[in-house]
Amino acid sequence: MTTRTTTSPEGRTAGPAVRLGVDIGGTKTAVALFDERDAALARARAATPAAEGAAAVVAGVLELAARVLAEPAAAGTRLSGIGVGTAGVVAPDGRTVAAATEALPGWAGTPLAALLEDALGAPTTVLGDVQAFLSGELAAGAALGARSAVAVMAGTGIGGAIAVEGAVVRGGHGAAGHIGHVPVAAAEGHRCPCGAWGHVEAVASGPAMTALLRRERAHAAARDLRAVSAAAADGDAAARTVLRLGGGALGAALAGVVSTLDPDVVVLSGGVLEAGPWYEDALRAELASRALPLLRGTRVVRAALGADAVLLGAVSRAAVE
Amino acid sequence: MTTRTTTSPEGRTAGPAVRLGVDIGGTKTAVALFDERDAALARARAATPAAEGAAAVVAGVLELAARVLAEPAAAGTRLSGIGVGTAGVVAPDGRTVAAATEALPGWAGTPLAALLEDALGAPTTVLGDVQAFLSGELAAGAALGARSAVAVMAGTGIGGAIAVEGAVVRGGHGAAGHIGHVPVAAAEGHRCPCGAWGHVEAVASGPAMTALLRRERAHAAARDLRAVSAAAADGDAAARTVLRLGGGALGAALAGVVSTLDPDVVVLSGGVLEAGPWYEDALRAELASRALPLLRGTRVVRAALGADAVLLGAVSRAAVE
């Protein structure tokens, strides 16, 4: 790929094209400016002013964008596109936030693509953050070369995304990939944060496993997954059981997803994987034993790009669309 | 669309193009010759000589093909393509049978596309029969206009297929759509015909529900789903419970599939739906209450094309590829 020089409508000769990647999470927002080879020229990040509402969140993105565009590396470049990965469900047209949790109050309904296009003058496309994450892993990470893939992000919630024929699937409501909301036997009788009963997220997320351990007399004060993890590392049987239950439940959910989609690869990520081997071991064992026998060898890998996956995936869509 | 007249390599002027659709099931094989408007010019069907092995099954297809090609309506036409929907798993390249159950002994490994191309001289593409069924419903049936869809065929087994961006998904091993092999709570402790435990097919297929009812003292002689259905219609509580359990289990499995894929429509078909309202009512109720709340309104419809869906879907691929 070579650096092109183009002429803008105003007649000025503009410099090489750069794209802006944006990652809007419930707690932090990150942006990066990428050149045509997907190398980051400048980066910035800040806390997401979630409690202040949608306008403040968008203003925060614009402030970070102005910062990276003012970097020396951006001098003489031309912003050709913007790709966003955001918490919440993005409408299938990739322009508006369709739904969001209480982590981002007022975020639902935000016409995010139009707001960024108006402010920054470059075409914008928006994906859900886990959808963007999988786009990144497909473009340059652990799913490189795969035609179809399933991604799961296990942390405060259980997020997911799917890709078919090389492209992330948005779904009819933009909600494709909600693997956390697959019913599984191990979650029967447990209420999910979404309001339904028996979803895998109700036993396999960090807060869910912490709550399960807190039911044990000896662990009534366990505050977060770190406490669960520490107890498990110390040999505590109840902590290990909770982690195995959560990982096994997610493995059973993924077995159903694998039998339905027959993907080339399953990509695992999220903080819960760092809670010791019990969770991931149970996940892999349950997935291998409960999928259709023909699919038991389906490749399961850890994500490779870290926090950059969302930014790179968002920008890969900006380039394509 | 107009009828084209083309010149063959030999210099002869050939007539209008026709395509051959083939539906190979464990018990019967059907073929039909379609014109350019997807109207059937000729049809033939016969029992599948399954027990005699793969060569006999292929010979049976060729015999039926010869019969429809000899019909007066076929005179002067040119066979431009062949589309096949077959029982078993078809390799992702659409040419070879990758796996099959004991219903078709020796069928796995059959280079079906090559055999039909050699014998009939027209390019051939092969899909799994439920994949072909969904292609047909997308092209002209209950899923017409949908971009993404989930199909389920509930009968002797629980088959399924999925479509994304208007095209049926084959999957990495050709096995996409095996919805019968999704683990669900209601099937825990039940062994699936595939060998794994806890799959929805183990409680939601016709034979599975018949076996469950046979466990009741009063129904020890129940032979098939017809007996279950008749007992339910007579007000028998155990029979209705078995049908509700099966339908509810399939609804829970579909809730997970819907949360993962976010399809525009779910298409239901298969003989089990005819066993009275208990199965389908439980399926719909469970699907509606257990999917991600955002997706609870996902459209659920009955298939519209009957037995022609496989033939039309197979031929729609012949035309496209």
Side-chain angles (χ1 to χ4, degrees):
Chain A
M1 204 184 295
T2 58
T3 299
R4 284 164 295 159
T5 301
T6 59
T7 304
S8 74
E10 296 81 29
R12 291 186 288 108
T13 297
V18 293
R19 287 154 297 143
L20 182 72
V22 180
D23 175 5
I24 304 172
T27 57
K28 64 112 187 102
T29 298
V31 309
L33 204 63
F34 291 94
D35 69 11
E36 290 186 328
R37 293 167 189 224
D38 287 348
L41 300 175
R43 295 167 176 279
R45 54 185 287 164
T48 302
E52 295 165 42
V57 173
V58 173
V61 170
L62 294 176
E63 204 177 297
L64 292 171
R67 214 190 293 169
V68 294
L69 287 164
E71 290 270 320
T77 60
R78 177 178 53 86
L79 187 62
S80 67
I82 303 167
V84 184
T86 178
V89 175
V90 176
D93 64 2
R95 301 195 57 78
T96 302
V97 179
T101 67
E102 65 274 19
L104 283 171
W107 196 229
T110 305
L112 190 53
L115 292 172
L116 297 183
E117 284 174 355
D118 286 354
L120 297 170
T124 301
T125 186
V126 187
L127 277 171
D129 52 2
V130 192
Q131 294 171 344
F133 157 80
L134 178 55
S135 289
E137 293 289 339
L138 280 165
L144 184 65
R147 298 298 303 160
S148 56
V150 170
V152 63
M153 198 177 270
T156 308
I158 304 288
I162 58 173
V164 168
E165 291 298 328
V168 167
V169 177
R170 290 185 183 267
H173 305 75
H178 273 78
I179 292 166
H181 304 281
V182 170
V184 291
E188 286 290 294
H190 294 267
R191 193 176 174 85
C192 182
C194 81
W197 293 85
H199 290 173
V200 59
E201 181 169 305
V203 297
S205 72
M209 292 189 294
T210 307
L212 285 172
L213 189 63
R214 260 202 309 270
R215 292 187 185 181
E216 303 283 324
R217 182 195 296 268
H219 296 281
R223 255 207 317 233
D224 55 18
L225 189 66
R226 202 173 305 214
V228 183
S229 170
D234 280 351
D236 185 90
R240 290 184 180 183
T241 297
V242 156
L243 290 170
R244 287 197 191 102
L245 173 79
L250 186 52
L254 285 169
V257 174
V258 164
S259 294
T260 302
L261 274 174
D262 183 10
D264 293 333
V265 63
V266 176
V267 182
L268 306 179
S269 73
V272 168
L273 298 180
E274 310 309 324
W278 304 280
Y279 189 89
E280 187 172 344
D281 288 354
L283 185 162
R284 287 175 177 268
E286 199 74 357
L287 171 51
S289 74
R290 304 204 69 175
L292 186 70
L294 180 66
L295 306 180
R296 283 180 185 171
T298 299
R299 206 155 55 96
V300 179
V301 300
R302 288 270 199 121
L305 299 180
D308 265 8
V310 175
L311 290 169
L312 276 167
V315 147
S316 75
R317 297 291 288 220
V320 174
E321 290 184 356
Chain B
M1 202 184 296
T2 57
T3 298
R4 285 165 297 159
T5 301
T6 58
T7 303
S8 74
E10 295 80 30
R12 290 187 291 109
T13 299
V18 292
R19 288 154 298 142
L20 182 72
V22 180
D23 175 4
I24 304 172
T27 56
K28 62 111 189 104
T29 297
V31 309
L33 203 62
F34 291 95
D35 70 11
E36 289 186 328
R37 297 167 187 224
D38 287 346
L41 300 174
R43 294 167 177 277
R45 54 186 287 164
T48 302
E52 296 165 41
V57 173
V58 173
V61 170
L62 294 176
E63 203 176 298
L64 292 172
R67 213 189 293 171
V68 294
L69 287 164
E71 290 269 319
T77 59
R78 178 177 51 87
L79 187 63
S80 67
I82 303 167
V84 184
T86 178
V89 175
V90 176
D93 64 1
R95 302 197 55 79
T96 301
V97 178
T101 65
E102 66 275 18
L104 283 170
W107 196 229
T110 305
L112 191 52
L115 292 172
L116 297 183
E117 285 174 355
D118 286 353
L120 297 171
T124 301
T125 186
V126 186
L127 278 172
D129 51 3
V130 192
Q131 294 172 343
F133 158 80
L134 178 54
S135 288
E137 293 289 339
L138 279 164
L144 184 66
R147 297 299 303 159
S148 56
V150 170
V152 62
M153 197 177 271
T156 309
I158 304 288
I162 59 174
V164 168
E165 292 299 329
V168 167
V169 177
R170 289 184 185 266
H173 304 77
H178 273 80
I179 291 166
H181 304 280
V182 170
V184 291
E188 286 289 293
H190 294 267
R191 192 174 175 85
C192 182
C194 81
W197 293 84
H199 289 173
V200 60
E201 181 168 305
V203 296
S205 73
M209 293 190 293
T210 307
L212 285 171
L213 189 63
R214 260 201 310 267
R215 292 186 186 183
E216 303 282 326
R217 184 195 296 268
H219 296 281
R223 255 206 316 230
D224 55 19
L225 189 66
R226 200 174 305 215
V228 182
S229 169
D234 281 351
D236 184 89
R240 291 185 179 181
T241 297
V242 156
L243 289 169
R244 287 196 191 102
L245 173 80
L250 186 52
L254 285 170
V257 174
V258 163
S259 294
T260 302
L261 274 175
D262 184 9
D264 293 332
V265 63
V266 177
V267 182
L268 306 179
S269 72
V272 169
L273 298 180
E274 309 310 325
W278 302 280
Y279 189 90
E280 187 173 344
D281 287 354
L283 185 162
R284 287 175 177 268
E286 200 73 358
L287 172 51
S289 74
R290 306 207 67 175
L292 187 69
L294 181 67
L295 306 181
R296 284 181 184 171
T298 299
R299 204 155 57 94
V300 180
V301 299
R302 288 271 197 120
L305 299 180
D308 264 8
V310 175
L311 291 169
L312 275 168
V315 148
S316 76
R317 297 291 287 222
V320 173
E321 289 181 355

